[in-house]
Amino acid sequence: MKQKRSREAVIEMGTEFLRDAGAESICKVCISGGGSCCISCQHLIDRVGCQKRNTSCTAWLCGFHNYILFELNLLEEWNNFWDEVPGKDFRKDETPEFFFMTKSLSKPDIRHICEAFAKDLDVLASNQIAIGFILTLREKLDRCIELTEVYRYDQTHRNIVLRKIKSLSSLFTQFNLVLQEYRLESQLTDTTESS
């Protein structure tokens, strides 16, 4: 069923989803290391972050957030929601003040997962002597997530990409433990609900 939504309400829904998910814990590690996600945007303050969101930048996810939502099977929901928002463009927003949508965003309880990832990321940032290691890792994960969609119907190539993701993500030990627990709890919940 289509609902009338305001541009500002949609931006707030997206930022609330990310805030509730604990995304800022990851952003703090990246931004403090000079990893500004929207380099040269006039609304980005170095080592502080975004000062004025629009629909385009709210919908955009960095490689780390993309990866986490991918692992939690929430990325498709996120993308489907933002696909309905008109007027998004690279760093620009021509979204009308009001429009109609059928999708909404759930409020998953994943803050602890993002925080575990951020702790791992912080350890990696501290231990790596290679300049730009974290940013390169972020970009590699992002590219791999994109390729899973490109190879959606080509299982051979998709499996190669999934192995690459597994290799890259093996660096995140705390995250992987919490992710495993989350998946087990989700399976138990699904089993209980279906019986």
Side-chain angles (χ1 to χ4, degrees), residues 73-90:
N73 295 319
L74 296 170
L75 186 57
E76 190 171 348
E77 176 189 343
W78 177 269
N79 289 333
N80 288 341
F81 175 81
W82 290 103
D83 284 348
E84 284 195 327
V85 178
K88 295 184 316 296
D89 198 0
F90 180 68

Side-chain angles (χ1 to χ4, degrees), residues 151-163:
Y151 296 128
R152 174 175 267 208
Y153 302 107
D154 180 345
Q155 201 57 49
T156 301
H157 284 96
R158 192 168 199 274
N159 285 340
I160 292 168
V161 174
L162 291 173
R163 281 195 298 275

Side-chain angles (χ1 to χ4, degrees), residues 180-195:
Q180 188 176 14
E181 290 171 8
Y182 175 85
R183 287 179 174 160
L184 285 172
E185 287 173 18
S186 295
Q187 286 175 346
L188 289 173
T189 303
D190 291 344
T191 306
T192 306
E193 289 175 358
S194 63
S195 30

Side-chain angles (χ1 to χ4, degrees), residues 116-135:
F117 188 92
K119 286 176 187 171
D120 285 333
L121 194 60
D122 197 31
V123 169
L124 284 172
S126 300
N127 293 341
Q128 289 297 324
I129 56 171
I131 297 171
F133 175 80
I134 295 298
L135 304 180

